Amino acid sequence: MIDLSCTLGRLQLRNPVLVASGTFGYAKEMAPFVDFAKLGGVVPKTVTHAPRAGNRPPRTVETASGMLNAIGLDNDGLEHFLTHHLPYLRTLPTAIVGNIAGKSEEEFVAMAARVHQSREGLSALELNLSCPNVSGGTDFAIDPKLTKDIVRRCRDVCPDLPLIAKLTPNVTDITVIAKAAADGGADAVSAVNTFVGMAVDWRKRAPILGNITGGLSGPAIKPLALRAVWRIAQLKAIPVIAVGGIATLNDVMDFLVVGATAVQIGTANFYDPTASVKIVDALPSAIESLGASRVREITGTLKT
């Protein structure tokens, strides 16, 4: 038997394969396609303090080997999530990692405190410090001090709930931000969120997305995400959950070898809702092929 269990600070997972926020709805939408018991965890869609209508359409556009999205955190707000979505999520046979985004440091802390009050059924809380598609300065993870302060204050109000800081790749040195999250008390970081990009219709001489810019995801960003995860893992300061262009078993193995403790499947869920389950099913054989009996034995084993 291959041991797929992994540990991210205080967070214990049955296996390292999770599904990423914003690509899996609130899980109920995926119930006809996915055996939740096989997943390491589910990260439902980001919620904000108040309801948000999101950005004006068009909100998505296909690109070469990827997609741009500018959804704008369309959601019904935190209280709606706690009363309408969390009761269902609590019934699922896998770890549930809540995901929140605040407009300010104070709002992050207030939301984290509210989540902590209703934390039954939540295994961890992911702080979306890095959404590139919302105006108003929500990309907090470009500033190490702000990252550290938000994580630390959320840790103060969530003393027993594992915290994950979701980082942006749109910085000069992501390791500085990861270290700041670790110093603030995060149990892990998710790396990376989407890269800011845009698409235009040259015939109309106009942007395609209603928001003009959006977040690039999918296979196109995998090499960039792989480097970011490798660099953070070299710090040996905090566990990394890899995100970015992961769609196949080989992708997962690449990220594990460079130092990821776990992974999140994102854009692939849109065109193959069963991708995460297929990867979990194939993972033991891949680990065994390297002469290992536990997933942790191959984490960070890149030969350089």
Side-chain angles (χ1 to χ4, degrees):
M1 294 292 291
I2 302 298
D3 181 4
L4 296 182
S5 64
C6 61
T7 302
L8 300 125
R10 285 167 289 186
L11 177 60
Q12 306 288 323
L13 299 175
R14 71 161 62 97
N15 68 61
V17 180
L18 301 93
V19 287
S21 177
T23 67
F24 210 72
Y26 297 103
K28 185 178 290 187
E29 301 91 326
M30 296 295 194
F33 313 105
V34 178
D35 180 357
F36 297 121
K38 289 189 175 184
L39 299 180
V42 169
V43 189
K45 183 173 170 57
T46 297
V47 294
T48 53
H49 177 68
R52 284 184 59 90
N55 294 325
R56 63 189 180 93
R59 294 180 173 185
T60 62
V61 58
E62 187 174 353
T63 65
S65 299
M67 67 174 287
L68 283 166
N69 93 83
I71 303 299
L73 301 184
D74 181 351
N75 75 102
D76 291 320
L78 179 59
E79 290 304 320
H80 183 86
F81 171 79
L82 295 175
T83 57
H84 290 81
H85 296 300
L86 186 54
Y88 171 76
L89 290 165
R90 286 182 179 130
T91 69
L92 302 184
T94 190
I96 304 300
V97 179
N99 182 294
I100 60 171
K103 292 188 296 184
S104 65
E105 180 178 339
E106 296 299 329
E107 192 168 272
F108 260 110
V109 177
M111 292 180 70
R114 180 69 184 92
V115 169
H116 191 257
Q117 292 174 354
S118 303
R119 65 188 182 280
E120 180 187 352
L122 286 179
S123 298
L125 179 63
E126 187 174 65
L127 306 175
N128 188 353
L129 303 172
S130 54
C131 181
N133 306 319
V134 182
S135 60
T138 59
D139 206 347
F140 297 104
I142 62 173
D143 184 331
K145 183 180 183 304
L146 194 52
T147 297
K148 179 180 177 180
D149 289 346
I150 292 175
V151 172
R152 175 166 290 168
R153 292 187 63 191
C154 288
R155 164 59 62 224
D156 289 342
V157 298
C158 295
D160 56 354
L161 188 62
L163 292 180
I164 301 166
K166 189 165 188 177
L167 306 186
T168 178
N170 302 300
V171 291
T172 303
D173 187 353
I174 197 170
T175 64
V176 175
I177 311 298
K179 182 63 165 56
D183 291 343
D187 291 88
V189 294
S190 297
V192 291
N193 209 324
T194 54
F195 288 78
V196 177
M198 65 184 295
V200 301
D201 182 334
W202 65 266
R203 293 175 179 84
K204 296 179 179 178
R205 289 182 284 187
I208 294 176
L209 292 172
N211 194 57
I212 302 178
T213 63
L216 179 65
S217 63
I221 74 168
K222 181 195 166 186
L224 301 170
L226 197 64
R227 176 179 178 269
V229 169
W230 173 63
R231 294 197 64 218
I232 295 171
Q234 287 184 306
L235 290 175
K236 300 188 184 302
I238 191 167
V240 190
I241 304 172
V243 198
I246 304 173
T248 68
L249 171 68
N250 288 335
D251 296 331
V252 171
M253 295 298 290
D254 287 348
F255 277 100
L256 292 176
V257 167
V258 301
T261 299
V263 301
Q264 291 181 8
I265 312 301
T267 301
N269 292 316
F270 294 133
Y271 59 83
D272 182 4
T274 66
S276 55
V277 173
K278 291 175 182 174
I279 290 169
V280 172
D281 287 343
L283 195 54
S285 293
I287 293 169
E288 188 175 26
S289 73
L290 295 180
S293 60
R294 299 185 300 173
V295 67
R296 67 194 71 177
E297 291 176 20
I298 67 168
T299 299
T301 56
L302 185 72
K303 299 174 183 178
T304 57

